[in-house]
Amino acid sequence: MRTLAFDGRMGASGDMVCAALVAAGAEPSVLEPVEEILDAHYRIGTTEKNGIAATTVDVLLDSEDRNQDEHGHDHSHDGHDHSHEEHSHEHSHGDHAHGDHDHAHGDHDHTHGDHSHDGHTHAEGAGPSRSYAEVVELVESMGLPAGVEADAKAIFEVLGRAEAAVHGTDLDETHFHEVGADDAIADVVGAALLLADLDVERVVTTPVATGGGEVGMSHGVYPIPAPAVVEVAERASWALRGGPVEAELLTPTGAAILAHFAEGVERLPTLDVDGVGYGAGDTNFPEHPNVLRALVGEEQGSLVPDEIRVLETTLDDATPELLGGLHERLKAAGARDVSVFPTTMKKSRPGHLVQVIVKPEDVERVARKLAVETGTLGVRETGARHRWIAERAFETVEIEIDGTAHEVTVKIASDTEGSVYDVSAEYDDAAAVAAETGLPIREIMRRAENVVRE
């Protein structure tokens, strides 16, 4: 499976996502539909962040920048550090949905105004302030491929719903400020176009760093992550992670792009990497390269990570009858699996170790049930936090015996690539058919499993 994996340890903004995709192999020419509609164009260059060569993507105003092109200005970023720390503007790492700041990725004075970028005017905040409906209408006017248009509109819906939740308004009443400006629209639509060009089947991201500290916005000073980022993250499958620097690292636009496209994973998947790129943020940090890394490659089949907790207790006075019914009662309380092992306790007394696998949200309920059912004075939570499980599917098959069809459910186990490595007929179904036909249970199971294998 061709997979794109983002390494979210330094957060993300819209321009960083675009830059990382270009660096990972996406063709910049696919961005032309955006340039034809907006009074702006993309400028792609290079910079260095803590020794790492990274790609930059800037959205520049046509009216100013191209006039300067005619006077011989070079637009290459080669040898250009691209740090905006000296500017008093909102170009750190955040594109805030409520006009609080845009492209914020570090500590900046969040005041607005034209951003002079080596003699070129940046499109940050340029263009009219648009409502959600106006942004959708503009996206629809670009003549994008259907899938790209759907993705771009979905990202703006994520932003709109986050904005509406923050301000207590309806989606249709939401009025964008910075994320309705030309550069933010260019970031969102550009990311959708570039990702489509990469033609990957799956997009994942590790936990995404937010940074820390506070950020000044039009409504006041807020803790990082900013309110809109939190609202977007609530709708995403990936996790937020604080740090590693005291600055804003994750912006609403970057978060919304990742929320729409990316599935959350705890660690990078196993990849045969054939493309890697680094998208640069603006601020320089002493110990951390301010880049978003993107890796593209063929993902090898694996099992699925499943977050769990493991509860244990030891019993020296449990009767066989109590232990025999413990599985059913604990599973009814939310346990995913229950195991009972013989063990030797103090003074060489025989006993039993009860081990229960539960989901994190069920720990307290199952621990109490375990204590009440067994009378144990304590339940331990062990160090295990994850298990790796198969993708599971169930298929009902028919087997014919003496001219009569009988149904048996078969459990099918596969990895993330869909490679089946085990089939197992359900015992209760096989037992029922065996009782009806007089054949051994294992023969019924064998026949049902063969139907799936064939």
Side-chain angles (χ1 to χ4, degrees):
M1 179 186 298
R2 187 164 174 78
T3 298
L4 165 67
F6 287 109
D7 184 347
R9 71 187 65 200
M10 284 301 290
S13 65
D15 54 346
M16 291 175 75
V17 172
C18 290
L21 294 175
V22 169
E27 174 53 54
S29 63
V30 302
L31 299 171
E32 291 177 2
V34 181
E35 297 177 318
E36 291 174 359
I37 295 297
L38 298 179
D39 185 28
H41 67 280
Y42 298 92
R43 188 174 75 169
I44 297 168
T46 59
T47 188
E48 184 179 295
K49 295 291 182 180
N50 298 59
I52 293 178
T55 298
T56 59
V57 171
D58 289 292
V59 181
L60 306 177
L61 292 179
D62 283 344
S63 55
E64 301 262 355
D65 188 69
R66 288 184 178 171
N67 286 339
Q68 293 172 9
D69 283 348
E70 296 172 1
H71 292 84
H73 287 274
D74 182 9
H75 285 200
S76 171
H77 284 245
D78 294 337
H80 176 173
D81 179 49
H82 201 68
S83 170
H84 294 188
E85 290 180 282
E86 71 275 18
H87 299 292
S88 178
H89 71 302
E90 298 187 5
H91 196 75
S92 67
H93 190 118
D95 335 68
H96 233 261
H98 30 292
D100 299 328
H101 57 290
D102 192 45
H103 285 79
H105 199 163
D107 292 328
H108 296 293
D109 179 7
H110 293 269
T111 57
H112 287 279
D114 285 343
H115 162 38
S116 179
H117 184 66
D118 289 347
H120 310 302
T121 302
H122 200 284
E124 179 185 343
S129 176
R130 300 177 174 97
S131 68
Y132 169 73
E134 288 171 336
V135 170
V136 169
E137 183 179 359
L138 179 61
V139 171
E140 291 175 342
S141 73
M142 292 182 177
L144 302 169
V148 172
E149 179 181 303
D151 286 333
K153 288 162 64 176
I155 294 167
F156 278 112
E157 182 175 348
V158 170
L159 284 167
R161 292 193 181 282
E163 175 73 4
V166 169
H167 293 298
T169 60
D170 294 330
L171 177 63
D172 291 338
E173 299 173 1
T174 300
H175 200 85
F176 289 132
H177 295 281
E178 289 304 323
V179 295
D182 288 350
D183 64 323
I185 292 173
D187 285 344
V188 170
V189 180
L193 285 163
L194 292 167
L195 202 146
D197 185 67
L198 280 178
D199 193 26
V200 296
E201 300 169 77
R202 185 185 185 210
V203 182
V204 300
T205 183
T206 59
V208 185
T210 63
E214 296 178 333
V215 61
M217 299 183 291
S218 60
H219 300 291
V221 177
Y222 289 81
I224 294 170
V229 169
V230 176
E231 291 293 336
V232 170
E234 184 182 0
R235 295 161 171 79
S237 68
W238 37 262
L240 290 178
R241 180 170 292 167
V245 296
E246 289 293 296
E248 184 183 32
L249 299 184
L250 179 61
T251 73
T253 299
I257 293 170
L258 294 179
H260 174 66
F261 285 117
E263 169 191 346
V265 294
E266 282 297 314
R267 58 186 63 84
L268 292 173
T270 303
L271 290 175
D272 292 329
V273 177
D274 57 45
V276 61
Y278 297 87
D282 300 315
T283 305
N284 293 321
F285 300 111
E287 297 181 356
H288 300 276
N290 188 12
V291 294
L292 173 65
R293 180 167 61 170
L295 300 94
V296 179
E298 289 296 322
E299 183 177 356
Q300 299 177 7
S302 64
L303 298 181
V304 179
D306 184 35
E307 188 176 2
I308 59 163
R309 300 293 183 268
V310 178
L311 304 178
E312 290 183 350
T313 192
T314 48
L315 308 172
D316 61 3
D317 58 355
T319 65
E321 293 82 4
L322 185 151
L323 294 174
L326 193 57
H327 295 73
E328 183 178 346
R329 292 192 293 275
L330 291 178
K331 285 193 172 184
R336 296 305 175 97
D337 196 13
V338 181
S339 301
V340 180
F341 306 95
T343 189
T344 300
M345 302 180 66
K346 63 182 179 181
K347 297 182 180 180
S348 299
R349 290 199 301 266
H352 294 88
L353 170 66
V354 180
Q355 188 177 79
V356 187
I357 295 176
V358 299
K359 296 295 288 180
E361 60 268 22
D362 298 326
V363 166
E364 292 186 12
R365 181 173 65 254
V366 175
R368 174 171 171 75
K369 185 66 173 177
L370 178 57
V372 170
E373 290 290 342
T374 64
T376 184
L377 300 181
V379 176
R380 299 183 295 276
E381 182 176 332
T382 68
R385 288 293 182 267
H386 293 84
R387 63 177 178 174
W388 294 88
I389 60 175
E391 295 276 15
R392 305 176 193 186
F394 294 88
E395 182 178 337
T396 300
V397 302
E398 284 191 353
I399 59 174
E400 187 174 315
I401 302 173
D402 296 330
T404 303
H406 301 271
E407 291 188 344
V408 178
T409 300
V410 179
K411 181 166 56 180
I412 304 168
S414 63
D415 62 19
T416 54
E417 286 287 289
S419 177
V420 175
Y421 65 85
D422 186 65
V423 295
S424 178
E426 292 289 279
Y427 176 85
D428 289 344
D429 288 1
V433 175
E436 185 178 343
T437 62
L439 292 176
I441 294 175
R442 65 176 184 173
E443 174 63 17
I444 301 300
M445 295 179 72
R446 184 188 67 81
R447 294 189 186 188
E449 291 165 1
N450 283 342
V451 171
V452 173
R453 291 191 179 100
E454 295 169 359

